[in-house]
Amino acid sequence: MGTVALALAATGCAVGSGSGSGSAAGKVASITALDYYTDTTEHAQWGERLTACGKAAGVAVEHRSVPGASLVPKVLRQASSRTLPDLLMLDNPDLQQIAQTGALTPLDRYGIDSGGFTKGILSAGTYQGKVYGLAPTVSTIALFYNKDMLAEAGVAVPKTWDELKAAAAKLTRPGRYGMAVDANATFEGTWQFLPFLWSNGGDERRLDTPQAAQALQLWVDLVKSGSMSKSVLNWTQADVHDQFVAGRAAMMVNGPWRISELNQDKNLHWGVVPIPVRQAGQTLVTPLGGEVWTVPQTASKARQQKAAQVLACLNDSANMLALAEQYFTVPSRTAVASRYAEQVPSMAPFARSVEKARARTGELGVKWPKAATGIYTAIQAALTGEQTPQEALRHAQQIATGS
């Protein structure tokens, strides 16, 4: 962590004067920061990072963490009682809901540099045309594969859906499935399905389309053929990882946060590539994961200004790189991500995918959760055989529109 602290101190994290700072800003002794990094190690690491950025801004940072499920309800209560923290981290799909309440301040008023971010990453922190949050790093998902299993079966790494189905079938044998995904009835299941939906031209604004049905049919075919376990209906992404590590799945869809643990198994020879598209020539579009940092609306303009300086520091290029190296995430500035991908080849597929990745709230904003619920409900109905993909997606559209 010493290198991170040095990077923070070296950058100085300069930010424009903004409104209402003046000489009063220098009198601010401390600010508060709230996030959901409750894991003991991660909380300590972020605490050190916030402390270093606070030192660069001339303030102490009082760092608090609450469980992920509690964060948004807590923030909504704080907004009502006007007790919001000075610096707030949000999972990027939650930004729309909080910004809609008027609880956040647009970052342009502080002169924060948002240059060099991809369109999708900026979209994740944008509400009604204004940037309210910036993510130092982001994540997405890709296709992991067991090199030894593919070599033994004489299977090439798939690039299209047909190749994926053929490879999964050839890799399947007693005690092992060719492919594994998380298809559970949560937003996590929706998250894993989005690359297949979006890359094929499917759209959350209209779920009952032929393009969406083709994507869902792919997952149905994998389960029906026996290439993918029916248990995917209940698996989390952690379960999918466990199946892959145990040799019970030859390929899996998962995120870069798994790489640290995968690297610890010296007997596991794995590779990772972008998720296959239906046909060659289609552009892969994956969902963006990651947290954005925001400056809430509080009674003190001076404290807001100091919080903005800390936010700018967290999003400095040097700190993006330090965060990416520590957590196997992708720096949000394209130039930094490119350098990082060269240094860490296993992250290159994720860095490439991030360039075209989309924020889940990019099209529907605060209405996204209804569409996400419709999608995972459709996945469950189709994979259990209760409905055809077309029927399931018609129902999903009803859920999404509330009709």
Side-chain angles (χ1 to χ4, degrees):
M1 285 299 298
T3 56
V4 175
L6 286 172
L8 295 170
T11 60
C13 309
V15 64
S17 60
S19 62
S21 56
S23 60
K27 298 177 183 177
V28 175
S30 66
I31 62 170
T32 57
L34 180 66
D35 59 37
Y36 57 44
Y37 299 126
T38 54
D39 174 81
T40 303
T41 301
E42 196 171 24
H43 178 82
Q45 290 168 343
W46 273 98
E48 189 170 340
R49 189 170 289 107
L50 287 163
T51 296
C53 275
K55 186 175 181 181
V59 291
V61 180
E62 298 173 13
H63 176 214
R64 300 166 192 157
S65 299
V66 297
S70 304
L71 183 62
V72 169
K74 182 179 181 68
V75 170
L76 291 172
R77 289 194 302 271
Q78 290 177 325
S80 298
S81 60
R82 299 186 179 183
T83 56
L84 285 161
D86 300 302
L87 187 64
L88 172 65
M89 182 228 71
L90 293 167
D91 193 15
N92 77 70
D94 294 328
L95 180 132
Q96 298 279 325
Q97 180 186 1
I98 303 303
Q100 185 185 39
T101 68
L104 306 178
T105 61
L107 299 183
D108 59 357
R109 72 169 55 169
Y110 309 109
I112 292 176
D113 176 23
S114 59
F117 288 79
T118 68
K119 180 181 177 182
I121 292 172
L122 278 183
S123 172
T126 299
Y127 174 71
Q128 293 188 345
K130 289 278 191 180
V131 176
Y132 287 87
L134 287 177
T137 64
V138 293
S139 62
T140 190
I141 42 181
L143 182 73
F144 289 82
Y145 62 94
N146 185 304
K147 290 182 176 181
D148 294 337
M149 291 179 183
L150 266 68
E152 180 189 359
V155 172
V157 178
K159 296 180 179 179
T160 66
W161 291 0
D162 284 345
E163 291 175 0
L164 179 66
K165 286 199 289 185
K170 201 167 181 182
L171 289 162
T172 298
R173 59 187 58 184
R176 185 179 83 197
Y177 290 94
M179 180 68 175
V181 300
D182 165 358
N184 70 24
T186 70
F187 289 166
E188 199 173 86
T190 295
W191 154 270
Q192 286 237 327
F193 182 67
L194 287 176
F196 301 91
L197 174 71
W198 284 346
S199 302
N200 197 43
D203 195 321
E204 60 270 34
R205 292 173 298 183
R206 191 77 212 181
L207 293 171
D208 53 347
T209 63
Q211 294 87 348
Q214 285 176 326
L216 189 49
Q217 188 66 54
L218 170 67
W219 280 23
V220 170
D221 290 346
L222 286 166
V223 170
K224 273 190 174 181
S225 68
S227 297
M228 196 157 71
S229 172
K230 290 181 180 177
S231 296
V232 298
L233 287 160
N234 302 309
W235 284 348
T236 64
Q237 290 182 126
D239 295 329
V240 170
H241 167 88
D242 291 344
Q243 294 293 316
F244 182 76
V245 170
R248 293 191 291 268
M251 298 183 290
M252 70 167 177
V253 172
N254 226 314
W257 52 86
R258 299 293 166 198
I259 290 177
S260 179
E261 193 171 343
L262 290 173
N263 284 340
Q264 292 175 23
D265 190 338
K266 301 305 178 185
N267 295 318
L268 179 64
H269 305 124
W270 59 274
V272 60
V273 293
I275 290 171
V277 293
R278 185 172 65 84
Q279 55 188 22
Q282 285 182 318
T283 299
L284 174 64
V285 184
T286 60
L288 274 172
E291 296 82 15
V292 294
W293 287 87
T294 67
V295 178
Q297 191 77 251
T298 63
S300 172
K301 299 292 186 185
R303 292 172 72 94
Q304 288 176 11
Q305 178 63 30
K306 287 299 184 182
Q309 286 182 263
V310 174
L311 185 151
C313 179
L314 293 174
N315 283 276
D316 180 272
S317 295
N319 302 317
M320 284 184 177
L321 188 59
L323 278 163
E325 290 171 343
Q326 186 168 19
Y327 295 116
F328 286 98
T329 48
V330 178
S332 292
R333 296 183 198 268
T334 305
V336 184
S338 296
R339 293 201 302 272
Y340 177 54
E342 290 177 3
Q343 296 171 17
V344 187
S346 62
M347 289 299 297
F350 298 99
R352 288 202 303 273
S353 295
V354 159
E355 291 177 15
K356 299 292 183 181
R358 278 177 46 192
R360 283 158 282 176
T361 53
E363 295 288 347
L364 296 179
V366 294
K367 296 179 181 177
W368 161 249
K370 286 186 177 180
T373 301
I375 291 169
Y376 71 66
T377 302
I379 293 169
Q380 291 275 310
L383 265 58
T384 56
E386 292 176 14
Q387 295 178 315
T388 66
Q390 291 81 1
E391 291 168 343
L393 288 164
R394 280 198 292 272
H395 184 221
Q397 181 62 21
Q398 292 172 348
I399 293 173
T401 59
S403 60

